[in-house]
Amino acid sequence: MEHTVSHTSQVFFTSEVVSRLAQETQENQAGIWGALGQVVPLVAHSLAGRASGPDGPEAIWKLSREAYGASVLEHLLGPGQENWLQRGEALMRGLLGEGYNFTGLRIAAAAGVSSAAVNYLLSVTAVAALGVAGEYSQEHSFDAAALARWLQQDEDAIRRLLLAGSPRSQAPETSPREFAAVPEAVPPGTALTETPHGNGSWLPVGGGRTFTPAPAAPAPGVAPVAGQPWVWGVLLLTAVGLGYFFGHDTEESTPSSSPRSGLVTTSTAAPPPVKATAAGRYDPVNDKYIYDTGQPLILRLADGTTQKVGATSTENRLYTFLADPGMQVDSVNRTNGWINFDRVYFETGQTTLTDESFQQLRNVASILKTFPNSQVKIGGYTDSTGNAMKNFQLSEERAKTAMLVLASSGVDINRIQAKGYGGKYFITPNTTPEGRALNRRISIRVVKK
């Protein structure tokens, strides 16, 4: 019989064990099975990744030997195992990093259980995986290097296996990319002095301030170049909360967006297609539109944290709208007030966010936390190519993905709605690659200040 970490770990989760886990977490067994269908591959994949890193083989080998010596497989769900469960939680938090909370939310949403139950399952599974790895190492006289090779070779088999004794209706399988760590919103926001280096000006906005540096003089004979968005290297993460239907629209009117990343002022009817005039450029290599977010500025929130954004960026427009008492939510014409995200992209035909997208979502989350009474709606849109129903489903799932990232960043999920509109409300004709890139978008609208 083939021995793998995934297979052995799943054998540990028998129907009897799942029944006990359901009792301890006060969840139904179907939900536990569904969560384990994603937790077990995630843990095995994370351990394999750690084993491939610097000092990873020795670290995993030592932990697995300790777990084997403590007979965790026999006693894990019994009394006196709190220390091991705490170590399991610490291990998973270390492996998933900032993505730990979002991963729990995503799996909980898909399985229909609480995030606390998922966190407990992550801890139990991590310890059980160490136990079976230690047992297998003992049986085959593995050293650290051999154990690391075995863990990595098992990665493909993980996704094909089912939990022993589980119903066939497992939660959807998820790519390992979707479990990667969520990056920090911005570099730590230390308070700025009122007179930073260089020329520029501070302007009060709401409870915070914005600093706009003076434009630099162009080099002789060289024309100024349009600014491009900041792109920080970050790890990936996503997945969509299937079955977690927040924010279903009850409005009769359907929103539309401006081709720029700013606020929309349209009539109550859906606007006719317009020529793509958004400042920026089309990137044919990655098939996406790169927005020009305008003059660089430093947005300083009321809590003293800072964001380096553009004057026409999503962040600055959203913050200004929330902070300015003269700008009110249009409760009559609900097509007004939509702001396009200018640095949020998805993999083609998928709900997987690209690397640079997390930065802006976390920035927006920080702004929303500055205004705790505000409520927002996320709108998802596609171009018109392909099947209309699939486009609608894709846009809905992308909107919910963005919603869950905001929630994992500390925004109360009850303050966020999410709705997909497919390819119906395009902002420019879909006849060119540039137009289709502009129409594939995620937008945000303040529904309550």
Side-chain angles (χ1 to χ4, degrees):
M1 177 174 133
E2 181 184 2
H3 292 276
T4 65
V5 169
S6 183
H7 183 264
T8 310
S9 296
Q10 290 168 357
V11 170
F12 172 80
F13 291 109
T14 61
S15 296
E16 180 182 356
V17 170
V18 169
S19 177
R20 293 181 61 183
L21 290 172
Q23 292 176 2
E24 292 184 19
T25 58
Q26 297 183 345
E27 302 285 353
N28 60 63
Q29 293 188 35
I32 297 299
W33 280 121
L36 286 173
Q38 298 186 57
V39 167
V40 169
L42 167 62
V43 171
H45 172 72
S46 299
L47 289 177
R50 179 68 180 92
S52 66
D55 302 321
E58 288 292 338
I60 296 299
W61 185 80
K62 180 179 179 180
L63 285 171
S64 65
R65 295 295 295 176
E66 288 184 39
Y68 172 74
S71 300
V72 295
L73 295 179
E74 289 78 17
H75 309 298
L76 182 55
L77 298 183
Q81 297 301 306
E82 291 79 7
N83 181 58
W84 270 108
L85 292 174
Q86 290 173 1
R87 294 180 68 178
E89 178 183 356
L91 174 62
M92 292 311 300
R93 285 186 179 274
L95 292 174
L96 298 178
E98 290 292 327
Y100 180 86
N101 290 330
F102 175 72
T103 299
L105 278 173
R106 205 270 315 154
I107 296 177
V113 299
S114 68
S115 58
V118 173
N119 292 343
Y120 180 69
L121 294 178
L122 284 168
S123 301
V124 171
T125 304
V127 178
L130 290 174
V132 296
E135 184 176 89
Y136 194 75
S137 296
Q138 177 68 20
E139 293 173 355
H140 295 80
S141 302
F142 278 169
D143 58 12
L147 175 61
R149 286 194 300 270
W150 178 62
L151 287 169
Q152 295 170 63
Q153 290 169 358
D154 176 65
E155 188 170 341
D156 290 337
I158 279 177
R159 303 177 188 94
R160 298 192 300 266
L161 297 173
L162 295 174
L163 293 168
S166 68
R168 304 295 292 187
S169 57
Q170 293 290 346
E173 184 178 343
T174 305
S175 166
R177 296 182 64 186
E178 298 171 355
F179 297 114
V182 178
E184 291 296 332
V186 290
T190 54
L192 299 178
T193 61
E194 298 302 312
T195 55
H197 295 293
N199 297 323
S201 60
W202 283 98
L203 291 177
V205 180
R209 290 174 162 236
T210 59
F211 174 75
T212 305
V222 180
V225 179
Q228 297 181 5
W230 287 267
V231 178
W232 292 275
V234 294
L235 299 174
L236 309 172
L237 159 171
T238 92
V240 60
L242 298 176
Y244 201 62
F245 292 97
F246 286 101
H248 280 273
D249 196 14
T250 58
E251 306 164 355
E252 293 183 2
S253 60
T254 308
S256 60
S257 298
S258 163
R260 288 189 62 84
S261 59
L263 300 176
V264 180
T265 53
T266 65
S267 64
T268 55
V274 296
K275 183 180 179 181
T277 57
R281 62 180 178 84
Y282 173 66
D283 177 4
V285 176
N286 297 301
D287 190 25
K288 64 184 181 182
Y289 196 85
I290 308 297
Y291 288 89
D292 176 3
T293 56
Q295 171 72 22
L297 57 80
I298 298 173
L299 178 62
R300 184 178 182 186
L301 304 183
D303 62 1
T305 60
T306 62
Q307 296 180 9
K308 185 179 180 182
V309 296
T312 60
S313 66
T314 305
E315 293 94 327
N316 193 42
R317 291 176 179 268
L318 176 63
Y319 183 86
T320 301
F321 183 84
L322 289 170
D324 187 349
M327 303 178 73
Q328 295 298 319
V329 175
D330 190 339
S331 59
V332 177
N333 183 1
R334 294 175 180 176
T335 62
N336 278 343
W338 287 90
I339 305 173
N340 289 342
F341 282 92
D342 50 57
R343 299 191 305 284
V344 172
Y345 306 98
F346 291 86
E347 299 290 350
T348 303
Q350 301 179 32
T351 60
T352 304
L353 288 162
T354 58
D355 293 12
E356 66 267 42
S357 302
F358 294 104
Q359 181 71 54
Q360 184 159 71
L361 287 168
R362 295 294 294 270
N363 283 356
V364 167
S366 295
I367 294 171
L368 293 177
K369 287 188 288 185
T370 302
F371 300 90
N373 293 325
S374 63
Q375 297 179 15
V376 296
K377 184 174 186 176
I378 305 297
Y381 306 84
T382 66
D383 59 33
S384 62
T385 59
N387 181 275
M389 181 56 67
K390 290 184 178 179
N391 283 341
F392 170 77
Q393 294 171 341
L394 179 63
S395 67
E396 182 98 354
E397 292 172 356
R398 284 178 170 178
K400 289 177 181 176
T401 295
M403 176 186 70
L404 288 176
V405 174
L406 294 176
S408 72
S409 303
V411 181
D412 185 351
I413 200 167
N414 294 310
R415 296 171 52 197
I416 314 170
Q417 304 171 30
K419 179 70 175 178
Y421 298 98
K424 288 180 60 179
Y425 297 96
F426 53 92
I427 58 176
T428 188
N430 285 282
T431 53
T432 64
E434 177 182 350
R436 290 190 289 272
L438 280 165
N439 288 328
R440 295 189 298 268
R441 65 197 188 277
I442 292 290
S443 303
I444 186 170
R445 180 180 186 268
V446 177
V447 297
K448 179 182 177 183
K449 291 183 69 171

